[in-house]
Amino acid sequence: MTTVPVPVPLPVRSRVADLAAVQIASWQQGYLADRSAAVAALARLRRGAGRTAAEMPDLWSLVDTGPLHERDGERRALSEVELTRAEDALYTACTLWALHQQSRGARMHRTHTREQPGGLGAAVRRLMPPNDIDEPVRGRLVRAATASTPLVLAQRLRDIVVLLRRADIPLDYGLLAGQLYAWQWPGGPEAVRRDWGRSFHSRPAARHAGENTPPATAITDTASDTDLKDAS
């Protein structure tokens, strides 16, 4: 008998994406304005990058998951599975953004638009020279896309974020949070891989003002470090 995969609850994915975007935008605004509370929040959040929410209980009071529990209008109460997966996606996106934003004077969370794609694939493509494919960098995206568990996925995304941070290339973390939620459902990894691949091939590489090209040695060094610590 063939088992039909349970589809991703799209309204919940949208709630996760919207909540991540709102919280990160608020922290980002405060951080760039050098507000002490936001600076302290970023310092705490970035320690959780590449780790699960369960490993970082000190962040539970920092990331506001309250809106996920709200039930008003058309919003129904989430099941325990939905809630757990939504919280994990939110924590992962917020902590990765904090790592990305650290010591950067420009917005590292930027909303995706057609004119300025903010998806992960497009961001990785901008790490490469125009009209050329950097295989070690592309391999980063492939490794993330083929992660076997949420923890491995978070670790491999962390390595990509380090490269994006060095090059001052922003990412839409609301979009990523929604994808991280979708990834946890049956058929989700395949759907997210398609999203990232489509984003990667959406248009020729184009670097925006203020973006720096990371040195090739940085990419090589990061790759070797990750291969040693991530043996999944």
Side-chain angles (χ1 to χ4, degrees), residues 49-188:
R51 303 171 71 177
T52 65
E55 293 180 88
M56 301 297 294
D58 63 314
L59 300 184
W60 295 351
S61 62
L62 185 59
V63 179
D64 182 12
T65 60
L68 295 174
H69 297 261
E70 292 177 358
R71 183 177 181 179
D72 56 76
E74 296 181 353
R75 289 185 173 182
R76 59 175 175 78
L78 301 186
S79 69
E80 184 64 26
V81 172
E82 289 173 325
L83 191 57
T84 298
R85 291 175 177 177
E87 290 172 343
D88 287 346
L90 182 62
Y91 274 96
T92 299
C94 289
T95 55
L96 288 173
W97 163 79
L99 176 66
H100 199 164
Q101 187 64 59
Q102 179 193 10
S103 302
R104 289 298 179 263
R107 295 177 303 151
M108 293 297 101
H109 162 60
R110 187 184 66 198
T111 303
H112 166 83
T113 65
R114 180 172 295 182
E115 294 72 27
Q116 292 186 317
L120 182 67
V124 170
R125 186 66 181 89
R126 286 200 288 275
L127 284 167
M128 304 179 189
N131 305 314
D132 194 12
I133 298 295
D134 187 314
E135 286 301 329
V137 174
R138 191 188 70 84
R140 289 280 173 197
L141 184 61
V142 172
R143 280 171 55 76
T146 56
S148 56
T149 68
L151 176 58
V152 172
L153 176 60
Q155 291 170 342
R156 293 178 179 179
L157 288 175
R158 183 189 189 281
D159 294 328
I160 291 175
V161 165
V162 168
L163 297 181
L164 297 177
R165 177 179 172 274
R166 290 173 181 169
D168 288 326
I169 297 173
L171 196 61
D172 185 334
Y173 278 93
L175 177 62
L176 181 63
Q179 291 170 337
L180 291 172
Y181 176 75
W183 190 92
Q184 299 173 76
W185 289 88

